[in-house]
Amino acid sequence: MIKKLLIANRGEIVCRIERTCRRMGIVTATVHSVADRNSVHVRTVGESIEIGPAPSTQSYLNIDAVLAAAHAVGADAIHPGIGFLSEDPAFAEAVSRAGLLFIGPSADILRRFGDKWAAKKEARVAGVPVIGGSEGSSDDPAEIERLIRTELKLPVVLKAAAGGGGRGVRIIRELDGLAENIQSAMREARTSFGRADLIVEEFIASARHIEVQVAGDGRGNAIHLFERECSLQRRFQKVVEEAPAVGIDEMLKQRIIRDAVRLAESVHYANLGTVEFLVADGVHHFLECNPRLQVEHTVTEEITGLDLVELQLRIAMDGQLPVKQEDVVARGHAVQLRVYAEDPGAGFAPSTGTLTCVKFPEGPRVETAVESGSVISPYYDAMIAKLISRGADRDEAIERSLMALRQTVIAGVETNISFLLRLLETGPVRAGTADNRYIDREIDSLITPTSPTHEEVGLAAALLWADGSGDNGLGLWSSRGPLAWWAYDDGAAPEGPPVLSLKTSGNLVLPVRFGHGQRNLLDLSVDGTPVKVQILQAEGGGRYVAAVGQRVIVAQIDRRADVITMHVPSGRHLLQLVPFLKLEAGSQSIEGKLLAPMMGTILKVSVQVGDRVRKSDVLVIEESMKMEMALVASMDGVVTTVGCRVGDVVERNQTLIEIQPVTGEVP
């Protein structure tokens, strides 16, 4: 029996593992970086050791620091969680040498499956079909380029040999820019997994991504816990996962499951693992094996009723499978949604900052480690939470997922909630026919902002007034900020110049005029449309109950400077406040300046003062949350200022490069 377990990770997975340990009577401790000192996972566990600075290479990937933390708290076992060191055979060996129990597969299994090329070799030996491509991995960019140019047929895909999650992945459709794509993939792989080597595979378009959860005892016995569907991906990063898979022929599904179990048995797999496949034209190909707990393990738990963390712990402690295959039964359907701090309208760039308001609905399962006041930093993955909904069938699970999204309130950073809402409402997703390239093909329609109605804009203006008014009955006379200058006659209809304008995410500017103003009742005009709003109740924290015409709405409003985030039953709306006196000034754009889209680290600066550049030339490469972004010139011109260097940590909207526009041909 484990007496004390160190959870060597951060965020929601620490809270998830701690919950199972508490139920099983296992005492836990965890670790944290300087940036995570006051994080939710630290306070949930109750005992944590600081192991280094914010960058993961100096903290969560520091094996010596993690082992020292285990000894400091008196742990006799370590759970690596998800990501970081969970697939590192050197870490598993170090844990064993230290006399501690490693919760996961052996170092030998991690070597055979933690590396994508080694995993393909094991699949071949077991008779499982694999995807064609390079014979081995390489960290030599020249050799990778030679292989693609001379031996393989385009399109191909570059993949980090270690890790997953879409990191270090690039599709190569043409040879132009090949060298830079290879270098970029290698940098991202090194940042994410500590290794830069890549494999090259044939690119299979329009495939379904099906994976099988397996468990083994290490003596050649293995079982499956059914399959999951993970086809809804953006740039190879899973976005929505569900169980069981839909739209797959039952005979094909059984062949996939049998191959997954046969592979686990052939290597004497111990503990939990996930065998992943691509399915196209009725044929399945082995993709990879993740020898650890998966982010999407939750949907398997929901349909089987099993606690997968408990299975991991019991297999590690007892050396045998705690359940038999015939006892594993699937019931119902489950859907998991990954909520990220990212801006779909800006190419899904990570969004950093303080979460000013976080509220999750009752009903769905929520796995998270954030709260109001938590900080989303550029150092770690951008996932805020996982929303898991279960239903008697798929339709019910999706309807509950949609309701969960509509009732989730996250303010302070951009999120992908609106994107997820639109995704789940599309025909192919509802029908269960979407493949793993569906999101990338339909991305323009999925990120097109949904404009609020005039009534919702009026509600936002009224709530802005309510949030900034005093309690002395003077109406707008008592307002602060952009409304403070406006005086009006209580008996007047909305007329004259607008008090303010609200600009939607679709860049539609709607002028708002105020008329009758009493303590809780406002007559407004939104771009000429009359709107009557009555504030029924202020619940605090920006949450209001209001009547808009004949409808009563519960709304959450959050304001950061001139940006207003409003959550209403129809979804989340972003509005920009444009005071009347500043309307013209607010519409001016900054020309000739390249601004950092978010807080991050500068990886590469491609220009110097005096260089001539063309529109769309890559000037700077920035890394944030382990993802690279190429920042490009917005015009032809000459570089006049370079305001950053490699290694600099820059703030959002910081000026990086200034360009003087030129006329005529740029050489």
Side-chain angles (χ1 to χ4, degrees), residues 3-213:
K3 294 181 180 178
K4 191 168 188 177
L5 178 75
L6 181 79
I7 309 171
N9 215 286
R10 67 176 301 278
E12 62 88 14
I13 192 58
V14 174
C15 301
R16 165 69 190 88
I17 294 169
E18 187 276 339
R19 192 166 67 242
T20 291
C21 289
R22 185 171 3 110
R23 181 175 56 78
M24 294 176 65
I26 299 174
V27 179
T28 57
T30 189
V31 295
H32 65 273
S33 70
V34 171
D36 283 338
R37 184 174 292 166
N38 191 38
S39 64
V40 171
H41 87 262
V42 170
R43 287 182 279 116
T44 297
V45 173
E47 181 180 11
S48 184
I49 301 295
E50 193 166 295
I51 56 173
S56 57
T57 53
Q58 302 174 47
S59 51
Y60 295 106
L61 291 171
N62 187 331
I63 293 176
D64 291 339
V66 172
L67 290 177
H71 290 302
V73 300
D76 55 350
I78 294 180
H79 195 306
I82 293 171
F84 294 128
L85 295 170
S86 63
E87 296 182 56
D88 189 340
F91 179 57
E93 284 181 335
V95 171
S96 297
R97 284 198 305 269
L100 307 175
L101 181 64
F102 180 77
I103 309 302
S106 66
D108 175 60
I109 290 295
L110 291 177
R111 284 196 181 88
R112 295 158 80 177
F113 284 117
D115 179 285
K116 287 185 174 63
W117 168 242
K120 288 178 71 172
K121 289 194 296 184
E122 296 295 345
R124 282 178 176 173
V125 171
V128 178
V130 301
I131 302 171
S134 60
E135 291 293 319
S137 62
S138 175
D139 59 2
D140 181 351
E143 171 58 23
I144 296 172
E145 184 172 358
R146 184 203 64 78
L147 176 68
I148 294 173
R149 289 184 180 275
T150 62
E151 297 185 22
L152 298 178
K153 181 180 178 181
L154 297 181
V156 297
V157 59
L158 302 174
K159 293 182 179 180
R167 305 288 198 263
V169 177
R170 300 289 187 276
I171 300 174
I172 307 299
R173 300 182 185 276
E174 55 186 28
L175 296 178
D176 289 347
L178 175 59
E180 177 53 37
N181 272 312
I182 294 171
Q183 292 283 3
S184 177
M186 293 179 73
R187 283 194 302 268
E188 197 167 276
R190 184 183 292 108
T191 299
S192 299
F193 313 117
R195 290 173 49 185
D197 52 323
L198 307 175
I199 66 170
V200 187
E201 287 184 340
E202 297 173 6
F203 176 60
I204 300 177
S206 303
R208 303 287 288 272
H209 186 123
I210 308 297
E211 62 185 35
V212 180
Q213 182 74 67

Side-chain angles (χ1 to χ4, degrees), residues 479-647:
S479 290
R480 302 184 299 272
L483 301 180
W485 67 278
W486 180 252
Y488 66 96
D489 180 347
D490 276 349
E495 60 183 14
V499 176
L500 53 85
S501 291
L502 291 174
K503 184 165 69 173
T504 71
S505 52
N507 290 321
L508 180 64
V509 178
L510 299 172
V512 180
R513 294 172 171 83
F514 286 76
H516 288 81
Q518 300 173 7
R519 296 186 69 155
N520 299 316
L521 179 64
L522 285 173
D523 275 347
L524 306 99
S525 169
V526 178
D527 197 26
T529 300
V531 178
K532 185 184 296 290
V533 178
Q534 183 178 9
I535 309 297
L536 300 178
Q537 184 175 348
E539 298 183 351
R543 186 176 174 89
Y544 292 89
V545 181
V548 183
Q550 301 300 311
R551 296 172 61 208
V552 175
I553 295 175
V554 177
Q556 178 81 36
I557 191 168
D558 175 77
R559 179 181 171 193
R560 288 190 301 157
D562 290 338
V563 177
I564 300 164
T565 305
M566 184 174 70
H567 294 262
V568 290
S570 65
R572 173 179 178 267
H573 297 296
L574 279 178
L575 297 163
Q576 183 178 354
L577 171 66
V578 187
F580 170 67
L581 297 179
K582 297 182 180 179
L583 185 56
E584 285 300 314
S587 65
Q588 299 300 311
S589 60
I590 300 175
E591 293 291 338
K593 289 188 177 183
L594 179 68
L595 306 180
M598 71 211 65
M599 182 181 179
T601 303
I602 301 301
L603 297 183
K604 185 177 181 180
V605 180
S606 302
V607 294
Q608 55 188 351
V609 173
D611 285 354
R612 289 195 164 216
V613 297
R614 293 179 181 273
K615 182 178 180 180
S616 300
D617 281 353
V618 176
L619 307 183
V620 175
I621 295 178
E622 182 184 1
E623 185 269 332
S624 183
M625 298 180 180
K626 303 179 184 178
M627 297 292 284
E628 285 192 10
M629 291 157 289
L631 310 182
V632 302
S634 61
M635 64 178 71
D636 295 347
V638 176
V639 176
T640 59
T641 303
V642 176
C644 61
R645 296 177 298 178
V646 172

